[in-house]
Amino acid sequence: MNREIAALFAITVGLGLAPSEIALACDYGAIPEPSPEVRLYATDLGLQFAIPQNYSIRSAWGYSRNGDYQVRLEVVDPATFAYDQCLVERGELLGERTPPLFTLRDLRLLKTAPGLGAAVQERYPWLMSNAAIEQVKGMQVLTTYYQNDYQQSLVSVFWLVDGGDRLVWLEGLIEESVQAAAIERAIESMVID
């Protein structure tokens, strides 16, 4: 046993790590269900929507494969958020991650779309097989239900705004009733300025 401890110490010293750094591996805690209590999340892009009180936002931005500028907001559980933060603080790569509760994308389109269906068809044709256009809170939305590569059920809801120059996309898992309820609250509370 003493030789194993000595070998571990020699390896950590050889790598320039303090023994305490090895003990600080990132832990993935239990994932809590989304709380029924919500808080409103507002962005500087004029989007406002409800997220579960106990969940956080993870964000990224850049360009989509079509060249549209996009902002991506992921609503994630506290265990995933803490684990990702730990990896970032340790300088480790974020590998395969737990999917977010739902994702909101705000795409600034390179060219004005002639209509909601055309905008989604051009960018995401695989989502159009089960699509329906309806009115939600006085705004036209395109809703589609589908399964991902892991055979999980998802819903996507699209809004075309700013005269066809902007596509807002809300997507999330609906495998469990709490997931479906969180998505429904986000849709019902959505405000787009």
Side-chain angles (χ1 to χ4, degrees):
M1 181 70 164
N2 286 338
R3 279 192 279 177
E4 292 169 354
I5 292 173
L8 179 61
F9 182 75
I11 290 170
T12 59
V13 170
L15 294 174
L17 300 172
S20 62
E21 288 184 60
I22 289 180
L24 296 177
C26 298
D27 246 353
Y28 209 113
I31 298 175
E33 287 191 358
S35 66
E37 298 81 24
V38 297
R39 61 187 166 99
L40 288 179
Y41 183 82
T43 72
D44 57 355
L45 303 170
L47 299 174
Q48 179 179 298
F49 54 99
I51 68 171
Q53 184 71 36
N54 62 335
Y55 276 43
S56 299
I57 296 281
R58 186 168 60 192
S59 65
W61 57 92
Y63 290 89
S64 69
R65 68 180 192 297
N66 292 337
D68 302 320
Y69 179 75
Q70 79 171 344
V71 173
R72 179 183 172 111
L73 303 171
E74 296 179 338
V75 176
V76 295
D77 63 83
T80 298
F81 190 81
Y83 181 75
D84 288 353
Q85 288 302 111
C86 177
L87 291 177
V88 168
E89 289 168 8
R90 291 177 55 87
E92 297 181 27
L93 295 176
L94 296 176
E96 190 68 28
R97 300 185 290 180
T98 300
L101 179 62
F102 60 84
T103 301
L104 182 73
R105 293 176 185 87
D106 186 350
L107 292 97
R108 303 302 168 124
L109 307 182
L110 280 176
K111 59 181 184 179
T112 301
L116 179 56
V120 176
Q121 175 68 40
E122 181 180 330
R123 287 159 184 79
Y124 313 103
W126 63 91
L127 295 177
M128 294 300 289
S129 64
N130 189 17
I133 294 180
E134 56 191 340
Q135 292 286 321
V136 174
K137 290 178 54 178
M139 294 184 69
Q140 190 178 56
V141 300
L142 184 144
T143 305
T144 182
Y145 297 89
Y146 57 99
Q147 289 191 323
N148 63 14
D149 294 340
Y150 303 103
Q151 301 305 307
Q152 296 169 310
S153 296
L154 290 97
V155 63
S156 281
V157 180
F158 294 89
W159 293 262
L160 187 63
V161 293
D162 292 345
D165 292 335
R166 184 175 170 201
L167 186 65
V168 176
W169 176 13
L170 178 68
E171 172 189 48
L173 293 168
I174 53 171
E175 288 283 302
E176 299 174 20
S177 60
V178 292
Q179 295 168 325
I183 283 273
E184 191 60 36
R185 285 192 300 266
I187 293 167
E188 290 170 359
S189 66
M190 182 66 67
V191 173
I192 304 171
D193 290 329

